[in-house]
């Protein structure tokens, strides 16, 4: 039994991957069997991520050596002190991101059972869904720079395929094409940076490179390449242009899962800034880079969202805006790293930003699922053509209201809890940051009130029924976590967010978990 | 035993502040109408008129328009009134600390001030009539514009407190009440805080939806705007909500800028038992609330015409916003140069 | 004090959601008590329940619904220069997207060369 526990990190990545490849075969035999197969895979992955969180909380950072003699022989005795194999390094932040990704994909998968029913190529859809999940989980759990590139490509290609799933007279395919180009550019520039580091330090493992880092001129080039490429993949202004196209044309559940895919790139950005470069670099510069990206994303994202007339493009701009909050919180933490201010408010700012990651995945996922429900029944995503849906689709309206109140940060939902933490720690760094964050919050409320009126209020124009049960179950899973984190934020801080923030800030612990305490 | 007392306290608290808010709010409304009338050369209604109005509204038919989303249309006034009452629980009432002190700070109050506006405008949208829709989206534009100077004012003051008293919770209203802001600033800061006070008074007027910022309920332009479809008992609840919000805003400004008590002044000359000093302070608080309500509601109403919609945004994000940022800079300079 | 068990504490403030929820529900009860003493009935299916149009004649329900692109006119009008610049930047052309990426990368290369590492 104890042997099985040690293999959990590998199982989390491998189970969606292998079950995904088996899905088309089962799809040929029976549709219902395929649905059960996929939901089982997603549920098992979710359970394993929760078990992994428990493991990391009780036993510390988990390492897993792929193909090693034992699971934690990171440095084989005959290698000369170099960790040669691919090592999965799961600290509290990785476990947190894995839990977020698995939960949203589970809700999206259950939702897809009815939302994609009857479309052609359904088994391909579920295969790509499981591949996308495997890619995301690999991205957040790996400790190897090149392996991150591999999982990034798996994730991007699966996502591009899924965005183009509903051909939509070619418009979705165009969106997927733009997404593929941007992903390739970002990933290849990232690979170029990895190549430079490999040439300098003869190592691909993140902890190894961090322990050997000299901060030469070439390393400054790598800093620029990494941070900008990963910021583009995370969807922050001024590199955000692909986000409305990609999120806006993807099928209902995929937009929700794309949010967590972008957050996995955000994870990589934070990992590079904190654990790879750490305190040797000038954290004030990198911190202000993240803070500036955060401010721009928040404001430009929400002001562009206010004038949109397509429901999913509007929500995609809000995804950009909320990413700004995460960048702001963690950026303030990074800028104060190593100073006395870190223990006063820097760590709490990081906690606010990281708490916002899971809150955003929950409520943005819920909002995209409700948008998908509206499109499922009406066949159009143009807000100018909708109206009066609250008369018939009561559950969808209530779920939408909960999602909209959460994203605007209205008490007592979870958005308010993380935003409160961000406001009340970043103002000590610079009061202007909090002021802009509060103004963006009310602009967010304004644009969702606009969607609420256009789609749900007004006279009854369409005679539609409520959406099928599977879609409601998917939405309910996310809503329950929204309400749980809103009413009991201390649970999230104590078990999920607090350990994640401390693990991210602690570069020495990350290095020593792989290199063995030297 | 202690838990039973605690539970009773939690259950009784909303009723206490609810009674205070509703009754005193309606008294203030009556005084406001009388004074407005006198300033406009009329006699005006008797002081008990708001109570008669509410009773009359409760007797009338409550019509629900045929295009309305019925559950939201009926729930919106109730949610608005409930949220306004809960806001009072986090504000200090006269000499008494907030009934729920230690459980909600200024940012909580900032968001709770938005919730009644949001509920009413959701009700306006739910009515399904074009006039109420236009009124509701105007109210949303008003809320957007107000948020910038309001956030800047609160953050500026909290930043000042955090730099002087690093050990205290800077957003907690207890900090504001125990350390009045005027005692803790130099000359530059005095000017800055004065600017913030003027901006906050203007923000109260718009938060309450009164002239010159009543674009949401503009009588002559959109025939009642947000509230055009509300009748009967729904309108009665909205009327009461309006009264409570006057008390909320006035108490907030009182707590942030004028948390002074009268009894220490009198205690210099006459020895006072505890009950007498509490009563004197409470009456002084009621008087201060009346003064603030007079300035923000009555004086503004008779002095100014209505702003246009885009002019409101330009005012709050232009002049008032710049003034608030200037005040923030003055306060920051006050901290660093210590004049 | 009250409810110290579940208070969520930040560096400069605090918030207790459960306590607020209880107080909100009790206030809702108070509001409901006042509301229920009002008159419940109204004459349905008469002219009273038609939406208010100030005497205009509206042919169909579709014309009575204010559409999305008309909402927030005041705000968009007030920020007109900003919005015109912003709409011009968002072209939709992939070449521009990659051009932005190259521009930002070059800018950050210069910044990191100057101030990237502690001296």
């Amino acid at each position: 039994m104890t042997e099985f526990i040690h293999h959990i990190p590998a199982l989390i990545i491998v189970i969606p991957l292998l079950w995904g490849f088996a899905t088309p075969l089962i799809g040929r035999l029976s549709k219902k069997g395929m649905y059960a197969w996929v939901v089982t895979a997603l549920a098992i992955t979710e359970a394993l991520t929760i078990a992994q969180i428990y493991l990391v909380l009780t036993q510390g950072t988990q390492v897993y050596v792929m193909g090693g003699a034992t699971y934690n022989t990171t440095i084989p005795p005959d290698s000369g002190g170099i960790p040669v194999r691919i090592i999965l390094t799961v600290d509290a932040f990785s476990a947190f991101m894995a839990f977020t990704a698995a939960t949203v994909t589970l809700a999206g998968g259950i939702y897809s059972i009815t939302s994609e029913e009857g479309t052609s190529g359904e088994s391909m859809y579920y295969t790509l869904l499981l591949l996308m999940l495997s890619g995301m989980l690999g991205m957040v759990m790996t400790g190897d720079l090149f392996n991150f590139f591999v999982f990034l490509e798996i994730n991007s290609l699966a996502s591009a395929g899924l965005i183009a799933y509903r051909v939509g007279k070619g418009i979705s395919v165009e969106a997927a094409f733009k997404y593929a180009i941007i992903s390739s550019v970002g990933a290849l520039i990232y690979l170029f940076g990895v190549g430079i580091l490999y040439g300098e330090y003869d190592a691909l493992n993140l902890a190894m490179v961090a322990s050997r880092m000299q901060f030469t001129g070439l390393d400054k080039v790598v800093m620029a390449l990494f941070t900008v490429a990963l910021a583009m993949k995370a969807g922050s202004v001024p590199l955000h242009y692909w986000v409305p196209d990609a999120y806006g044309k993807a099928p209902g559940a995929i937009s929700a899962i794309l949010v967590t895919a972008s957050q996995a790139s955000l994870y990589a950005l934070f990992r590079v800034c904190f654990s790879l470069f750490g305190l040797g670099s000038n954290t004030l510069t990198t911190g202000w880079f993240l803070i500036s990206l955060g401010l721009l994303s928040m404001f430009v994202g929400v002001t562009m969202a206010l004038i949109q007339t397509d429901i999913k493009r509007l929500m995609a701009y809000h995804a950009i805006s909320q990413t700004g909050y995460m960048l702001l919180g963690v950026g303030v933490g990074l800028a104060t790293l190593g100073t006395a201010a870190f223990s006063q408010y820097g760590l709490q700012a990081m906690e606010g930003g990281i708490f916002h990651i899971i809150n955003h995945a929950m409520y943005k996922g819920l909002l995209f699922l409700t948008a998908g429900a509206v499109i499922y029944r009406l066949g159009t995503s143009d807000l100018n053509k909708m109206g009066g849906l609250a008369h018939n689709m009561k559950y969808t309206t209530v779920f939408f209201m909960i999602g909209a109140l959460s994203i605007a940060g209205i008490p007592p939902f979870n958005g308010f809890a993380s935003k409160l933490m961000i406001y009340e720690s970043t103002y000590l760094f610079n009061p202007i940051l909090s002021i802009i964050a509060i103004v963006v919050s009310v602009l967010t409320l304004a644009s969702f009130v606009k969607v609420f009126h256009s789609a749900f209020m007004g006279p009854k124009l369409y005679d539609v029924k409520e959406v099928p049960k599977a879609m409601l179950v998917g939405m309910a899973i996310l809503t329950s976590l929204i309400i749980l984190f809103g009413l009991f934020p201390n649970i999230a801080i104590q078990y999920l967010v607090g350990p994640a923030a401390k693990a991210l800030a602690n570069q020495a612990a990350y290095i020593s978990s792989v290199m063995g305490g030297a | 035993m202690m838990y039973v007392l605690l539970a009773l306290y939690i259950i009784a608290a909303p009723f206490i502040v609810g009674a205070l808010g509703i009754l005193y709010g309606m008294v203030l409304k009556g005084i406001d109408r009388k004074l407005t009338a006198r300033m406009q050369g009329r006699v005006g209604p008797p002081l008990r008129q708001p109570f008669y109005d509410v009773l009359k509204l409760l007797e009338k038919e409550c019509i629900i328009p045929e295009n309305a989303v019925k559950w939201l249309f009926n729930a919106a006034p109730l949610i608005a009134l409930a949220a306004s009452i809960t806001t009072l629980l986090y504000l200090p009432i006269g000499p008494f600390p907030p009934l729920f002190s230690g459980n909600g700070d200024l940012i909580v109050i900032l968001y709770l001030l938005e919730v009644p506006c949001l509920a009413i405008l959701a009700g306006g949208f739910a009515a399904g009539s074009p006039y109420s829709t236009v009124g509701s989206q105007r109210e949303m534009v008003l809320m957007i514009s107000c948020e910038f100077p309001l956030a800047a004012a609160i953050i500026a003051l909290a930043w000042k407190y955090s730099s002087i008293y690093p050990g205290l919770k800077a957003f907690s209203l207890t900090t504001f009440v125990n350390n009045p802001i005027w005692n803790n600033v130099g000359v530059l800061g005095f000017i800055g805080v004065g600017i913030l006070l003027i901006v906050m008074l203007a923000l109260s007027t718009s938060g309450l939806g009164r002239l010159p910022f009543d674009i949401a309920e503009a009588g002559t332009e959109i025939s009642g705007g947000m509230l055009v479809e509300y009748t009967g008992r729904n309108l009665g609840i909205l009327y009461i909500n309006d009264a409570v919000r006057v008390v909320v805003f006035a108490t907030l400004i009182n707590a942030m800028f004028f948390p002074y008590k009268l009894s220490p002044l009198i205690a210099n000359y006459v020895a006072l038992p505890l009950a007498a000093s509490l009563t004197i302070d409470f009456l002084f608080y009621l008087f201060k609330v009346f003064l603030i309500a007079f300035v923000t509601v009555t004086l503004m109403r008779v002095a100014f015409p209505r702003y246009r919609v885009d002019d409101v945004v330009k005012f709050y994000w232009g002049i008032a916003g710049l003034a608030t940022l200037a005040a923030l800079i003055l306060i920051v300079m006050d901290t660093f140069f210590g004049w | 004090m009250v409810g110290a068990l579940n208070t969520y504490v930040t560096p400069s403030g605090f918030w207790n959601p459960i306590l607020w929820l209880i107080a909100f529900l009790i206030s809702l009860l108070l509001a409901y008590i006042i509301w229920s003493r009002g008159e419940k009935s109204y004459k349905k299916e008469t002219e009273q329940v038609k939406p208010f149009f100030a005497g205009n004649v509206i042919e169909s329900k579709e014309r009575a619904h204010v559409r999305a692109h008309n909402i927030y006119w005041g705000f968009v009008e007030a920020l007109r220069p900003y919005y015109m610049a912003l709409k011009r930047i968002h072209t939709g052309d992939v070449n521009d997207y990659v051009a932005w990426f190259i521009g930002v990368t070059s800018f950050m290369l210069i910044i990191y060369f100057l101030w990237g590492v502690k001296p």
Side-chain angles (χ1 to χ4, degrees), chain A residues 19 29 59 92 110 237 282 287 306 317 361 365 372 374 413 426 478 512-513:
Chain A
W19 285 44
L29 297 172
Q59 292 179 9
I110 296 181
V237 174
N282 191 350
L306 209 55
Y317 274 109
V374 166
F413 296 107
T426 53
L478 295 175
S512 66
S513 66

Side-chain angles (χ1 to χ4, degrees), chain C residues 16-36:
Chain C
N16 192 328
I18 300 279
L19 207 58
W20 181 83
L21 195 61
I22 297 175
F24 180 72
L25 291 172
I26 297 175
S27 312
L28 207 54
L29 186 66
L30 173 62
Y32 184 74
I33 293 174
I34 303 177
W35 189 71
S36 63

Side-chain angles (χ1 to χ4, degrees), chain B residues 179-329:
Chain B
N179 312 294
I181 186 71
W182 309 101
N183 302 349
N184 289 310
V185 288
V187 173
L188 285 179
F190 197 86
I191 304 175
V193 178
I195 297 177
L196 287 181
L197 174 62
I198 298 176
V199 171
M200 281 291 294
L201 287 172
L203 284 169
S204 284
T205 316
S206 33
L208 292 167
R210 303 280 202 257
L211 272 165
F213 300 110
D214 70 339
I215 50 179
E217 295 170 39
T220 46
E221 287 171 26
I222 46 175
S223 316
M226 275 197 305
L227 306 182
V228 74
E229 298 286 353
Y230 273 112
T231 52
R233 53 184 184 166
N234 284 335
L235 195 57
I237 297 287
L238 287 173
Y239 196 84
I240 299 176
N241 171 55
D242 195 54
V244 174
R245 294 194 73 222
V246 174
V247 177
V248 168
F249 271 100
T251 313
L252 179 65
I253 294 186
N254 175 45
M256 281 171 74
F257 293 98
F258 307 114
Y260 298 109
K261 296 191 217 186
L262 198 55
S263 55
L265 216 59
I266 299 187
N268 282 336
Y269 304 106
V270 176
L272 289 173
L274 186 64
S277 66
L278 284 178
T279 318
I280 294 179
D281 287 330
F282 185 68
L283 291 173
F284 186 50
Y285 155 78
L286 292 179
F287 176 66
K288 279 189 285 180
V289 166
F290 159 68
L291 268 183
I292 297 174
F294 176 70
V295 169
T296 53
V297 175
T298 315
L299 271 183
M300 297 286 230
R301 179 148 75 133
V302 301
F304 295 109
R306 187 180 305 122
Y307 261 105
R308 222 177 60 191
V309 179
D310 49 334
D311 282 340
V312 170
V313 181
K314 286 186 193 140
F315 173 69
Y316 274 121
W317 277 33
I319 306 177
L322 285 174
T324 323
L325 285 178
L328 174 63
I329 294 177

Side-chain angles (χ1 to χ4, degrees), chain A residues 142 144-150 152 183-197 204 206 222 225-227 229-230 233 268-269 272 276, chain C residues 101:
Chain A
T142 184
D144 182 288
L145 288 170
F146 182 72
N147 195 231
F148 177 81
F149 168 76
V150 173
L152 180 65
S183 295
S184 307
V185 169
L188 286 174
I189 299 290
Y190 171 82
L191 187 64
F192 186 48
V194 172
I196 296 180
L197 283 179
L204 283 173
L206 210 157
V222 173
L225 293 178
F226 272 5
T227 46
L230 289 170
K233 279 294 296 171
L269 177 62
V272 161
L276 184 62
Chain C
F101 173 65

